[in-house]
């Protein structure tokens, strides 16, 4: 190598060495001014809490380092999720650290959102509420998501101070149709839990219990217990819905039907059940009412209304009739059509006709 080439190579490698040595932009770490009593630097602290990503309320353990939550795990001692969390629960941490999260209150002006300080937002809220209050009682309304009892009481108190009624709670994936059906058929105000793990045959009319329905982590566990191989036997799961959800994809058989036609199929099954003597122990008046309402829904009529072929309807009915411990679930959260209430009423009646003692519906343990 001649002297000139050597100097060239030495110059280039010197440059790259110098580049790798440039200092990184300065970062500042702020220590807590007043650390929690149980915080020990370098040691993790675990706090038990509740996941609020959906109304199921699974138990979580939040791992904290130096006063900051860095991971959430399922609480193994919690009766609902028994140590498991769903994807939404695992992602809850993003609510604290995601750079795209909303960090301040936003004020809409001329169609655009402007970040404001909390002090500014509180002052605007106070002024508006007091102005509304001067116009009479009940002039302030508050809309909230599903919140815990303490926060709800705080909201109620604030509204009382403004001479107004409690907040309106909005849950995007509501269960109003199922609640109403429970009230009409069982006289129950609320949502019972389902002993899916004790069933030997499961039909879902769209309830996507592995995704969002009621308490997905709890039902994923119960479904595994019900559907797994036990003593060389496996309980069957049939899913009836217009589209194939993730839950439907896990079924042994998916019965496709027209959108919002699930109630016709449930009524057809009711008709067959009553015709073959199921639900004899029900009060005569109720049995006659079920017979009257379901009598038009022959397998041909069901096909005409739902597009479910008669041979598939027979398959569904025969398995239901042969099951010793059937359980039927209502419609899914994201497919609430105009006939959702009818479908849930028909499903509740199916449970009554095929399991008159309702052994797999737990009214003492509600969601
Ligand atoms: S089901 Fe998922 S999102 Fe809902 S409470 Fe449990 S972990 Fe949270």
């Amino acid at each position: 190598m001649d002297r000139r080439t050597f100097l060239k190579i030495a110059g280039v490698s010197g440059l790259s060495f110098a580049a790798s040595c440039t200092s990184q932009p300065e970062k500042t770490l702020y220590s807590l001014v007043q650390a929690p009593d149980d915080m020990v630097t370098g040691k993790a602290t675990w706090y038990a809490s509740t996941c609020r990503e959906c109304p199921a309320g699974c138990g979580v353990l939040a791992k904290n380092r130096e006063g900051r939550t860095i991971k959430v795990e399922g609480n193994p001692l919690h009766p609902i999720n028994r140590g498991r969390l769903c994807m939404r629960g695992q992602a809850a941490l993003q609510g604290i650290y995601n750079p795209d999260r909303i960090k301040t209150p936003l004020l809409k002006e001329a169609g655009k959102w402007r970040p404001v300080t909390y002090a500014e937002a509180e002052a605007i809220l106070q002024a508006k509420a007091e102005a509304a209050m001067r116009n009479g009682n009940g002039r302030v309304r508050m809309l909230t998501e599903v919140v815990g009892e303490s926060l709800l009481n705080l909201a109620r108190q604030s509204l009382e101070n403004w001479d107004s009624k409690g907040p309106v709670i909005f849950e995007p994936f509501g269960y109003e149709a199922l609640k109403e059906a429970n009230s009409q058929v069982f006289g129950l105000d609320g949502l019972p839990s389902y002993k899916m793990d004790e069933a030997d045959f499961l039909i879902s009319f769209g309830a996507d219990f592995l995704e969002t329905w009621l308490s997905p982590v709890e039902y994923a566990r119960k479904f595994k217990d019900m559907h797994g191989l036990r003593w060389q036997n496996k309980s069957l799961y049939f899913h009836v819905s217009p589209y194939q959800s993730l839950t439907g994809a896990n079924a042994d058989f998916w019965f496709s039907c027209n959108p919002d036609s699930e109630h016709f199929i449930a009524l057809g099954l009711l008709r067959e059940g009553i015709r073959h003597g199921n639900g004899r122990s029900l009060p005569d008046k109720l049995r006659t009412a079920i017979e009257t309402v379901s009598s038009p829904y022959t397998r041909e009529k069901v096909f005409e209304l739902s597009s479910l072929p008669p041979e598939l309807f027979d398959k569904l009915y025969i398995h239901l009739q042969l099951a010793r411990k059937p359980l039927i679930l209502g419609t899914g959260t994201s497919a609430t059509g105009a006939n959702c209430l009818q479908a849930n009423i028909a499903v509740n009646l199916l449970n009554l006709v095929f399991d008159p003692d309702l052994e797999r519906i737990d009214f003492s343990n509600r969601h």
Side-chain angles (χ1 to χ4, degrees), residues 51-58 84-89 215-217:
C51 176
R52 299 298 309 156
E53 296 299 307
C54 90
C58 294
R84 308 283 201 292
L85 285 185
C86 75
M87 288 176 285
R88 279 159 79 185
S215 186
V217 176

Side-chain angles (χ1 to χ4, degrees), residues 1-10:
M1 186 188 297
D2 62 13
R3 187 169 167 272
R4 184 182 292 240
T5 313
F6 171 77
L7 286 176
K8 259 194 217 164
I9 294 171

Side-chain angles (χ1 to χ4, degrees), residues 200-276:
D200 69 349
F201 179 56
L202 176 68
I203 303 179
S204 166
F205 279 87
D208 44 352
F209 55 84
L210 296 178
E211 294 145 84
T212 54
W213 194 76
L214 292 182
S215 186
V217 176
E218 176 186 349
Y219 287 116
R221 170 174 51 80
K222 288 181 173 174
F223 176 63
K224 185 178 136 260
D225 288 349
M226 173 252 165
H227 200 236
L229 199 64
R230 268 182 301 183
W231 303 293
Q232 309 221 324
N233 273 324
K234 184 171 167 294
S235 303
L236 285 180
Y237 162 41
F238 287 177
H239 191 91
V240 184
S241 67
Y243 72 101
Q244 196 181 48
S245 59
L246 175 68
T247 307
N250 278 280
D252 296 289
F253 204 93
W254 170 48
F255 297 80
S256 167
C257 63
N258 293 340
D260 211 19
S261 71
E262 295 91 330
H263 61 299
F264 297 128
I265 301 170
L267 284 164
L269 294 174
L270 269 174
R271 176 184 182 273
E272 294 304 316
I274 292 287
R275 254 175 19 99
H276 291 109

Side-chain angles (χ1 to χ4, degrees), residues 273-291:
I274 292 287
R275 254 175 19 99
H276 291 109
N278 293 81
R280 277 198 206 95
S281 58
L282 295 177
D284 284 347
K285 214 171 148 192
L286 177 61
R287 205 164 179 277
T288 312
I290 297 174
E291 193 173 6

